[in-house]
Amino acid sequence: MSTMTMNMPKTTRRNFLKTSATAAGVVLAAGVPRPGYTAEDNTIRIALIGCGGRGTGAAQNALNTKLGPTRLVALADVFENRLRSSYGELSRRFADQVDVPAERQFTGFDAYQKAMDCLRPGDVAIFATPPAFRWVHFQYAIQKGLNVFMEKPVTVDGPTSKRMLQLAEQASAKGLKVGVGLMSRHSRELQELQKRVSDGQLGDIILMRGYRMHGPVGFFASLPKPPNISHLRYQVQRFHSFLWASGGNFSDFYIHIIDHLSWMKNAWPVRAQGLGGRHYRQSPEGQTYVDQNFDTYSVEYTFADGTKFYFDGRCMTGCRDQYNSFLHGTKGMAIASRNGDCGGPSAIYSTQNPSRASQVWVSKAPPGEGDPYQNEWNDLMAAIRNNQPYNEAKYGIEASLVTSMGRMAAHTGQEITYEEILNGDHEFAPGLDKLTEDTPAPLQADAQGRYPVPEPGRKGKREY
């Protein structure tokens, strides 16, 4: 079982997939037969909701688990081309485990319900849509008695964070298992570093640093909406560009390092101040970008004991790239991620200058456990099949909120506290549970097709 699980009440009998220690390793506990299934069927059925690259990757990891049979039975996405692409890739790689005929391929804003309706209590729904929809989908999954894997971030503002915290408690009360795609916490190398830091090998933590600086990726920058798509679909399609949909590139790109350094500290920052700006408002061809992102961010997070954590982010071509994280303590320093969100090996040094001579420990993942993305699915499936307490939703919500706290500090030019953003009244996109094709887009454009953008100092209470 993962070390990041949380205590939960006893499961209810609605959880059908329990295993016991047998020679075969996996046996389904007796349960009520469901339509189309025999009581001894121990296959975990999976529905993928959000068929982009990350969702397809999560489905691959789910189907790669070895603790018992899994089958993909439903796909859902707003965009048919994404669904088709995901289905093609998954059916080629997992021909014997993909059973998604045309009648279980759903598109549109209500597709999530139709896909989850194909599952039985105890099966797994994967949520890999833009995070604005996370609470809507989580709410429906709890009603259906489904276990969940949700990609990060899981919230983008205070009101939805409060809502998700309530839903997390409901999931625990039902004994549902919930995994969150903060895979750094399932890196065996970072797990060992966190244990050593907690045991005092670095002494008192006095400073942490994180960096993600590289050229534009994903849907970071967006030009004016073309005429053949609605504003709503355009904003969902290019979700990295719009705060309501994703929290922007700050939340979507930077949450992993912010999360795992807070985990190393075993605490969440209590306040943040930051700055940033858009240096290039136009494309090389001279078209003005309409998205809400800054090109650069620099945020100072402060913990309750006064410890500082500095995070720098940049999406600009031609600048020096840096993508890693560090801890400094009274007894030395550590490299957490050497490259990327959780790239090993991690290492501890006896001085503040990392060198071979000062290295006192270097991480090594156990055989077969070097992939954090696969580890998180193995951990979740083990909890489901062994009926163990497992709910990562709370720390996933808190990591998302802390990330949003830094983003809001930069976007407003104010110091923002954890309590201020948690209790803020700005819900970026209310009513998403009632969304249809005809619903006005949460963000409205002006006559020139430009959307509201952050204006630090001018807009000090809200991000736009």
Side-chain angles (χ1 to χ4, degrees):
M1 178 180 173
S2 166
T3 58
M4 286 70 63
T5 56
M6 299 169 55
N7 291 328
M8 294 164 45
K10 264 192 170 181
T11 185
T12 68
R13 62 179 179 169
R14 298 187 70 188
N15 291 281
F16 292 92
L17 295 167
K18 185 182 179 192
T19 60
S20 56
T22 65
V26 179
V27 173
L28 183 70
V32 179
R34 287 162 288 191
Y37 296 87
T38 60
E40 63 271 12
D41 179 11
N42 67 341
T43 298
I44 293 179
R45 291 161 48 117
I46 297 164
L48 172 58
I49 298 154
C51 299
R54 186 75 286 275
T56 303
Q60 291 174 0
N61 293 135
L63 296 173
N64 267 326
T65 56
K66 307 301 182 185
L67 298 176
T70 54
R71 181 176 295 119
L72 182 69
V73 300
L75 293 170
D77 202 286
V78 170
F79 299 98
E80 185 173 357
N81 64 318
R82 289 182 184 171
L83 188 152
R84 298 284 175 254
S85 175
S86 181
Y87 174 73
E89 181 173 349
L90 292 169
S91 59
R92 283 193 298 272
R93 292 193 59 180
F94 301 92
D96 295 336
Q97 293 172 269
V98 174
D99 178 20
V100 192
E103 59 268 24
R104 292 203 295 269
Q105 299 176 18
F106 307 104
T107 57
F109 288 107
D110 62 349
Y112 73 95
Q113 294 179 330
K114 297 174 182 177
M116 283 191 267
D117 288 345
C118 297
L119 301 179
R120 311 160 297 181
D123 287 332
V124 179
I126 299 174
F127 301 153
T129 65
F133 300 99
R134 207 68 81 236
W135 73 267
V136 179
H137 299 168
F138 194 24
Q139 180 175 265
Y140 195 70
I142 293 169
Q143 293 173 11
K144 302 284 292 184
L146 301 175
N147 300 307
V148 165
F149 177 84
M150 61 179 79
E151 261 306 331
K152 58 76 200 169
V154 300
T155 66
V156 299
D157 56 38
T160 55
S161 295
K162 280 190 167 182
R163 196 171 302 142
M164 282 287 284
L165 287 169
Q166 294 171 351
L167 292 172
E169 292 179 359
Q170 293 176 25
S172 292
K174 283 194 169 187
L176 301 176
K177 323 304 179 190
V178 183
V180 174
L182 292 170
M183 72 288 176
S184 294
R185 297 201 182 212
H186 296 266
S187 162
R188 304 308 184 217
E189 295 173 274
L190 285 176
Q191 286 176 352
E192 180 63 21
L193 176 62
Q194 199 272 345
K195 182 179 184 301
R196 288 171 178 269
V197 172
S198 296
D199 289 344
Q201 290 194 21
L202 281 184
D204 294 330
I205 300 299
I206 55 177
L207 173 68
M208 296 189 292
R209 299 179 289 126
Y211 307 89
R212 181 169 175 175
M213 301 189 293
H214 50 60
V217 294
F219 300 110
F220 162 74
S222 289
L223 297 172
K225 181 190 77 66
N228 61 343
I229 189 172
S230 69
H231 282 280
L232 175 60
R233 279 182 165 264
Y234 181 67
Q235 291 170 30
V236 173
Q237 181 187 68
R238 303 194 63 81
F239 61 102
H240 292 139
S241 285
F242 301 104
L243 296 179
W244 76 266
S246 66
N249 73 289
F250 190 98
S251 286
D252 198 276
F253 295 178
Y254 305 150
I255 186 173
H256 287 299
I257 289 176
I258 292 168
D259 172 60
H260 78 231
L261 285 180
S262 298
W263 174 42
M264 294 296 154
K265 176 70 174 168
N266 201 28
W268 297 112
V270 297
R271 63 181 185 272
Q273 64 175 5
L275 52 86
R278 195 61 180 263
H279 302 265
Y280 301 111
R281 289 300 313 167
Q282 292 185 320
S283 72
E285 295 75 28
Q287 286 187 283
T288 300
Y289 294 123
V290 299
D291 58 89
Q292 297 181 293
N293 289 320
F294 285 170
D295 293 328
T296 60
Y297 291 94
S298 184
V299 173
E300 176 194 80
Y301 285 106
T302 302
F303 292 87
D305 64 1
T307 302
K308 302 295 185 181
F309 161 26
Y310 294 98
F311 182 86
D312 290 338
R314 180 170 60 206
C315 286
M316 294 171 66
T317 302
C319 299
R320 177 180 179 270
D321 293 347
Q322 184 171 357
Y323 192 176
N324 45 19
S325 57
F326 306 89
L327 300 88
H328 298 268
T330 54
K331 295 181 180 179
M333 65 91 65
I335 298 174
S337 174
R338 195 169 295 269
N339 183 39
D341 291 318
C342 51
S346 302
I348 293 176
Y349 302 86
S350 60
T351 70
Q352 300 299 326
N353 290 312
S355 67
R356 185 177 297 275
S358 64
Q359 182 175 289
V360 297
W361 170 80
V362 62
S363 67
K364 185 177 182 181
E369 297 187 53
D371 182 358
Y373 291 97
Q374 191 60 52
N375 291 344
E376 64 186 353
W377 270 98
N378 293 343
D379 294 344
L380 174 60
M381 287 297 194
I384 293 172
R385 292 193 177 277
N386 292 304
N387 200 17
Q388 296 170 319
Y390 197 98
N391 190 343
E392 299 180 328
K394 185 174 185 291
Y395 79 64
I397 297 160
E398 291 168 339
S400 301
L401 192 65
V402 164
T403 304
S404 293
M405 179 172 71
R407 183 200 69 222
M408 185 176 182
H411 284 172
T412 60
Q414 310 299 317
E415 181 179 75
I416 305 297
T417 68
Y418 185 93
E419 293 300 319
E420 283 174 338
I421 191 163
L422 176 62
N423 295 309
D425 63 357
H426 190 191
E427 183 171 352
F428 293 167
L432 288 184
D433 55 335
K434 301 176 179 63
L435 191 69
T436 71
E437 290 286 353
D438 298 323
T439 303
L443 203 64
Q444 294 296 304
D446 64 16
Q448 286 74 44
R450 297 172 302 192
Y451 298 106
V453 296
E455 298 179 61
R458 292 181 178 178
K459 299 175 183 176
K461 298 295 185 182
R462 293 190 172 195
E463 294 183 60
Y464 59 90

